[in-house]
Amino acid sequence: MLLPDTRTLSASQARRIALAAQGLADTRPATPAKAMHIRRLVDRLGVVQIDSVNVLVRTHYLPAYSRLGAYSREHLEAEAWGRRPSLFEYWGHEASLLPIASQPLFRWRMQRAREGETWGGLATFGRERRPYIDDVLKRIEREGPVTGGDFAEEKREVGWWNWSDGKRALEWLFWAGYITTRTRRGFERVYDLVERVLPAAILNTPTPTEADAHRELLRIAARALGVATETDLRDYFRMPVAETRARLAELVEAGALEPVNVEDWGKAAYLVADARFPRRATASALLSPFDNLIFFRERAERLFGTRIRLEIYTPEHKREFGYYVLLFLQGEAITARVDLKSDRQAGVLRVQAAHLEPGAVATRVAPALAAELVRMAGWLGLGGESVAEKGDLAPALATELANR
């Protein structure tokens, strides 16, 4: 529902505001990013999603690349799992890396998990096997860091949901805030007690009330989104419905948010008080399917008029665009989609399909996309690029890459 007597932003204004808030309106820095740039970026975004798929590179490395250009992935790893981390893992927007200073803001979720509010199967396990879970926690207290593999009763199939009881206990303890990720071995979490991972200054920070925590998380989401609907803001940290509405009203009353209408959105929106209004957007970037700009599909469609669906779990013969598809942001438009794979053995970045978005022109898109693919291959340590003959952009892209 639109709001009467409220200023209206054009769709293009809203799109540029959103790109600026996400650090995607301007061209990337010419010099390689350092650890401090990673810290600043995650502070700005508030959350970076983690996913296990490694066909190109794991998704948590990509938002920094999209915004900062080629950087050493070791910088991110040090910030997340080093001796003095600035990030920690928790359920922010799905499995996530979050600024360590925001840990107190998620204690309400940890407390709710202790009271049985997690996803159904884990909640049931928590109720039925609490003595066993307590024994697992005592083992960690006594013996130190553990992995899910340390509790495997027998050889099991690899996969997120093929868990032993020990792994379920660890995940319950993780949700409930008793343990956290100390480091990772490959992609496997190494768990330890929160008090042995997080600095004392964070542990000793008073726990905010739920209302205060919700309000601050919504403020962070609003800053990261620039202009957003209630559902956009709620989705960013997966917030509860009624509480979100109450806290948004308070943020409006405090002047932190301004209610606005956005042309063609069809629903009310909120503009963050210090939003940047760029006159144009000049960045080009390949976006992970889990990138903050597009991970809420309804918002992405509203911003760019493009329908995004993750096809990883779709049978191959039913896929429209491919297995691991990145979107190509060119200025303030999504102009192409590419299905990418790092062929590490051959040292090649494989473009398994390349499709133009409706209205995009191959002669304008292919040169910019080819340049971006060459940069990405270099960042990933791959020696070249190869384009399969699939998709309406593939011929022009292959020609452009061959001529470089």
Side-chain angles (χ1 to χ4, degrees):
M1 183 177 67
L2 298 181
L3 301 170
D5 303 320
T6 302
R7 72 161 156 166
T8 297
L9 304 176
S10 70
S12 183
Q13 278 181 311
R15 188 161 49 246
R16 291 194 298 270
I17 291 167
L19 289 168
Q22 282 283 304
L24 285 164
D26 304 315
T27 53
R28 284 169 291 196
T31 55
K34 303 296 184 184
M36 66 176 180
H37 300 110
I38 305 298
R39 289 194 295 272
R40 290 173 185 169
L41 177 63
V42 182
D43 281 343
R44 177 180 194 165
L45 298 177
V47 60
V48 171
Q49 189 170 338
I50 299 171
D51 189 80
S52 62
V53 176
N54 196 28
V55 65
L56 175 67
V57 64
R58 297 202 199 278
T59 192
H60 51 275
Y61 295 107
L62 284 168
Y65 173 77
S66 299
R67 291 156 177 81
L68 302 175
Y71 74 98
S72 171
R73 281 171 277 171
E74 292 179 354
H75 288 321
L76 179 62
E77 291 163 1
E79 295 303 310
W81 307 296
R83 293 181 62 188
R84 295 181 178 177
S86 67
L87 309 176
F88 78 108
E89 288 190 35
Y90 191 60
W91 294 97
H93 179 95
E94 301 295 330
S96 304
L97 286 170
L98 301 143
I100 206 163
S102 68
Q103 192 268 354
L105 301 178
F106 291 93
R107 291 177 189 164
W108 65 274
R109 182 166 287 164
M110 298 170 188
Q111 183 59 41
R112 289 194 182 190
R114 297 176 190 189
E115 295 167 359
E117 284 191 37
T118 63
W119 55 270
L122 198 60
T124 300
F125 182 83
R127 288 192 301 271
E128 295 178 350
R129 301 295 304 278
R130 187 57 189 269
Y132 174 72
I133 292 171
D134 291 342
D135 286 343
V136 170
L137 182 60
K138 289 174 184 176
R139 173 175 168 178
I140 300 170
E141 291 171 347
R142 185 175 62 249
E143 299 179 14
V146 299
T147 70
D150 293 328
F151 292 86
E153 296 93 356
E154 58 188 38
K155 187 175 180 180
R156 305 178 67 85
E157 294 182 26
V158 175
W160 272 61
W161 310 117
N162 295 310
W163 287 353
S164 66
D165 283 353
K167 174 62 174 173
R168 289 188 181 91
L170 291 172
E171 286 301 314
W172 189 93
L173 290 165
F174 181 85
W175 264 97
Y178 291 108
I179 63 174
T180 190
T181 307
R182 171 172 286 281
T183 188
R184 282 183 179 260
R185 295 174 187 160
F187 193 68
E188 186 178 33
R189 277 184 184 142
V190 178
Y191 302 89
D192 202 354
L193 300 178
V194 167
E195 55 266 34
R196 293 202 291 241
V197 177
L198 301 185
I202 298 299
L203 296 172
N204 294 332
T205 299
T207 299
T209 65
E210 277 203 13
D212 286 345
H214 293 168
R215 193 181 303 107
E216 186 58 27
L217 288 172
L218 288 167
R219 193 192 305 270
I220 293 168
R223 183 191 66 201
L225 295 173
V227 60
T229 67
E230 177 193 311
T231 52
D232 297 340
L233 293 164
R234 192 172 72 235
D235 177 80
Y236 206 74
F237 290 113
R238 301 296 168 86
M239 304 288 287
V241 176
E243 291 89 335
T244 293
R245 289 176 181 164
R247 302 294 82 78
L248 287 178
E250 293 165 0
L251 288 169
V252 169
E253 181 68 23
L257 297 178
E258 176 191 350
V260 294
N261 296 319
V262 178
E263 188 179 66
D264 300 328
W265 278 20
K267 55 173 66 177
Y270 298 89
L271 178 70
V272 71
D274 57 353
R276 181 182 160 210
F277 281 69
R279 298 183 65 180
R280 57 197 297 257
T282 58
S284 291
L286 284 163
L287 302 176
S288 156
F290 304 103
D291 190 278
N292 300 49
L293 182 68
I294 58 173
F295 60 31
F296 186 35
R297 308 310 188 198
E298 177 189 311
R299 175 176 170 83
E301 188 165 348
R302 208 184 313 118
L303 281 172
F304 298 104
T306 189
R307 184 176 183 272
I308 304 169
R309 294 294 180 271
L310 191 65
E311 297 185 283
I312 289 173
Y313 305 109
T314 302
E316 185 174 359
H317 68 281
K318 293 185 177 181
R319 289 177 194 144
E320 185 177 2
F321 297 107
Y323 179 77
Y324 197 75
V325 177
L326 279 73
L327 274 66
F328 184 49
L329 173 70
Q330 194 173 5
E332 63 175 85
I334 302 294
T335 60
R337 306 179 194 221
V338 282
D339 181 16
L340 298 182
K341 177 180 180 179
S342 292
D343 186 338
R344 299 172 181 93
Q345 186 171 358
V348 173
L349 176 61
R350 299 201 180 278
V351 183
Q352 302 186 112
H355 293 87
L356 279 170
E357 285 293 287
V361 180
T363 53
R364 180 174 177 272
V365 176
L369 178 55
E372 188 57 42
L373 290 168
V374 170
R375 283 191 288 268
M376 175 171 275
W379 175 60
L380 294 174
L382 302 172
E385 309 81 33
S386 174
V387 182
E389 297 178 358
K390 186 174 183 180
D392 56 357
L393 182 57
L397 185 60
T399 299
E400 193 68 37
L401 285 167
N403 291 334
R404 287 181 174 268

